[in-house]
Amino acid sequence: MSLDDPATLSFGRFDFVHSLRILGNLVDNAFKYAPAATPIEVTGGVNGNALIFRVCDRGSGIPFAARDGVFTPFYRSPARASGAQSGGLGLSIARRLAEAQGGSLTYIDRDGGGAIFELRLPAATP
């Protein structure tokens, strides 16, 4: 895990347990879908009025046609990891937990291949 600039860290207004659940789900998915020998990167930082956490992998990414689908309940990727058990609810629940806190959860293509899932949560001034 790395922080963009530890000196700029801020306070946030969010539910710690739910946010940890979201990040845990994203890291678990990254381990399922990325090649075994590649690192999973978790970063955190501040951008304006948002705390931003990113989980990045070097897997195959998500095809353009499936990007909205991965956040719907019971969606399962046709290219899912071999032997991966999934009910297709993780990303749907994660996005709803983010939105319930006034945040968001989005997917971004990673340069050079792979996925970036970005969790944005409201920052707060102390």
Side-chain angles (χ1 to χ4, degrees), residues 19 31 34 50 53 57 63 70 73 91 114:
S19 299
F31 277 110
F53 301 92
D57 67 45
V70 298
L91 288 175

Side-chain angles (χ1 to χ4, degrees), residues 10-14 45-52 102-103 120-125:
S10 179
F11 290 90
R13 186 166 300 165
F14 57 90
V46 179
N47 184 349
N49 62 352
L51 300 176
I52 301 173
R120 288 179 169 258
L121 297 169
T125 55

Side-chain angles (χ1 to χ4, degrees), residues 21 28-29 38 40 52 63 66 79-80 87 90 109 112 114 118 120:
R21 182 176 180 185
D28 184 53
N29 282 351
T38 60
I40 306 301
I52 301 173
R80 72 176 176 261
D109 275 331
E118 182 177 273
R120 288 179 169 258

Side-chain angles (χ1 to χ4, degrees), residues 56-98:
C56 312
D57 67 45
R58 288 291 180 193
S60 59
I62 299 173
F64 184 78
R67 291 188 187 161
D68 288 330
V70 298
F71 293 106
T72 59
F74 305 109
Y75 177 86
R76 288 181 167 171
S77 168
R80 72 176 176 261
S82 173
Q85 302 272 333
S86 171
L89 290 171
L91 288 175
S92 173
I93 292 170
R95 178 176 263 183
R96 288 179 188 214
L97 288 173

Side-chain angles (χ1 to χ4, degrees), residues 30 34 38-43 54-62 67 107-117:
T38 60
I40 306 301
E41 299 170 33
V42 180
T43 62
R54 292 184 183 104
V55 177
C56 312
D57 67 45
R58 288 291 180 193
S60 59
I62 299 173
R67 291 188 187 161
Y107 169 82
I108 304 164
D109 275 331
R110 186 171 188 187
D111 289 340
I116 300 172
F117 282 90

